[in-house]
Amino acid sequence: MTTAATGNQIGWAEAAWQRRIVRVRTLTGGWTSTMLALTGDDGEQAVLRLMTKEPWRRHAAGLLARESTVQRQLAGSRIPVPRSIALDLSGDTAGAPAHLMSWLPGSLRLDSAADDVVEPLARTLAEIHRFDPGPDRPRDYQSWAPPSKRVRPPWARRPALWDQAFELLEQTAPGYAGRFLHRDFHPGNVLWSADRISGVVDWVETSWGPADLDVAHTATYLAMLHGCAAAAEWTHAYRRHADDGSAEDQARYWNVMDIVGHLPDPVKVVQPWRDHGVEISDDLARSRLEQRLADVLRAP
C-alpha cells in the first residue's frame, strides 16, 4: 500500500466498501480533487474522490451529493457511469469530504481528434442530453464566465477580440430548451476500452440547461488540444447525432461563455494533459483558445 491516503480515509473506505484495501494508487489528470484507485483483498477495484483542494472543498457537500445522485439516476441507462457506493459529505469520518464509487475500465484518449474518436463522443453526449430525469432535475446551469473574469488576459495577442466577447456576454442569454447536461464533458472525462467508450466520469457539475453549453465546452477543449478544425468537426458531429438545428447566433453566445470561462489563463487544464503524454505548451493552448474565439465570433 502506498502513502497516498491517510489512515482515516482508508478506514472509512474499507468500512463502506466492506473490503480490506491492499493497494492505493493516486490517479493523475484531475485538478479539483484527489483521486485514488483502491484495490480490495478480493481483487475488486474502486475509486475514492477526496475533496482536499480549495475552493471545491468548501462546496464539497453539494458537489459530491450531486455526483452520487446523478450516478444513481443514470444506473441502468445506456450511459456508462460509475456506481455510487458511499458518501462522507462532511469529511468528519474520512478526514475529508469523500465519495467512494465503482471502478470503470479504460483509459483516456487525448492524442487524437479523428472520426473514430469524435463520432463516439458525439453519440455519447447526444445520449446524455436525451436522458429524462423526470421531476428530479439537477440544478440550473451556472455560468463560469462571471463579470469578474471579463478582463483582457495579459497574454492576449488580439485584445479587441476579448472586448467583443465581453460585450456579447452583456446581452441577455438566448432562449433554450432545457437538457440534462454533464457540464464538464471533454476527452479528459471519458474512458475508452479499445475503440468504444467504457465510461463517463466526473459528474459533480451536472446541470439543467442548453445543450449548446455542453457542446461548447467540448469544442473549447478540442480546440486547445488539437486545433480549431477539430472543434468545428466536433460541433458538426454532435449536430448530426442530436439532429440539432440550433441557430448559429445562439450557439455563438454559449461558445463565447465557455471560452471566457477559461480566463484568466487556460494553463490550469494543460498540465493534466502533459501528465498523460500530450506535448502542448502553455502558449500554444493560449493561442488556440484565442483563435477559437476568433472563429466563433466571425461565424455567420
Side-chain angles (χ1 to χ4, degrees):
M1 183 180 295
T2 71
T3 58
T6 68
N8 282 348
Q9 291 158 1
I10 294 303
W12 174 81
E14 286 183 328
W17 199 22
Q18 298 181 345
R19 287 172 175 82
R20 184 171 67 86
I21 295 170
V22 297
R23 186 183 180 211
V24 180
R25 178 169 55 91
T26 302
L27 299 173
T28 61
W31 50 276
T32 65
S33 308
T34 298
M35 303 294 292
L36 304 175
L38 312 179
T39 303
D41 54 6
D42 60 353
E44 286 294 312
Q45 293 181 288
V47 173
L48 178 60
R49 179 197 287 274
L50 298 168
M51 285 289 188
T52 55
K53 303 176 184 179
E54 296 294 356
W56 300 278
R57 181 167 181 154
R58 291 198 301 272
H59 306 287
L63 293 169
L64 297 183
R66 184 177 306 115
E67 182 171 54
S68 176
T69 296
V70 169
Q71 289 176 353
R72 295 176 192 278
Q73 284 181 312
L74 293 175
S77 74
R78 295 198 294 178
I79 304 160
V81 298
R83 175 176 57 87
S84 180
I85 298 171
L87 286 168
D88 180 4
L89 297 181
S90 67
D92 290 343
T93 303
H99 183 198
L100 182 66
M101 63 196 93
S102 63
W103 168 273
L104 294 179
S107 57
L108 301 182
R109 292 190 67 180
L110 304 180
D111 61 337
S112 173
D115 286 350
D116 64 342
V117 173
V118 169
E119 292 293 327
L121 285 174
R123 283 195 299 270
T124 299
L125 186 58
E127 190 68 31
I128 291 170
H129 291 164
R130 292 188 190 103
F131 180 74
D132 182 0
D136 297 322
R137 288 182 180 177
R139 65 173 184 175
D140 288 342
Y141 82 93
Q142 295 179 348
S143 171
W144 295 343
S148 61
K149 284 196 175 185
R150 300 173 196 174
V151 178
R152 286 181 179 181
W155 46 264
R157 297 178 180 176
R158 290 177 280 181
L161 281 176
W162 297 99
D163 292 341
Q164 188 179 348
F166 305 152
E167 183 178 344
L168 177 64
L169 293 181
E170 292 294 331
Q171 301 176 18
T172 301
Y176 61 87
R179 295 289 185 267
F180 190 84
L181 307 183
H182 181 282
R183 194 63 181 96
D184 196 17
F185 189 86
H186 59 77
N189 281 331
V190 178
L191 301 174
W192 297 76
S193 291
D195 59 352
R196 68 177 185 87
I197 291 175
S198 57
V200 181
V201 299
D202 198 358
W203 295 86
V204 297
E205 296 288 357
T206 302
S207 309
W208 188 261
D212 278 330
L213 190 52
D214 257 358
V215 179
H217 191 60
T218 311
T220 303
Y221 268 67
L222 287 172
M224 289 192 289
L225 268 170
H226 300 294
C228 293
E233 288 301 319
W234 151 256
T235 302
H236 295 323
Y238 174 84
R239 298 278 183 249
R240 290 194 301 272
H241 287 286
D243 192 22
D244 186 340
S246 297
E248 283 293 337
D249 58 341
Q250 294 180 347
R252 179 184 296 112
Y253 183 93
W254 305 113
N255 273 290
V256 169
M257 176 183 284
D258 189 76
I259 292 167
V260 172
H262 285 77
L263 296 182
D265 201 331
V267 299
K268 64 184 179 182
V269 303
V270 174
Q271 188 56 51
W273 300 344
R274 288 195 284 255
D275 292 342
H276 281 277
V278 178
E279 294 185 5
I280 181 172
S281 68
D282 292 347
D283 285 343
L284 180 57
R286 292 166 179 152
S287 66
R288 285 174 170 174
L289 183 68
E290 191 169 69
Q291 183 58 50
R292 172 63 181 164
L293 177 61
D295 289 353
V296 167
L297 289 175
R298 71 168 175 245

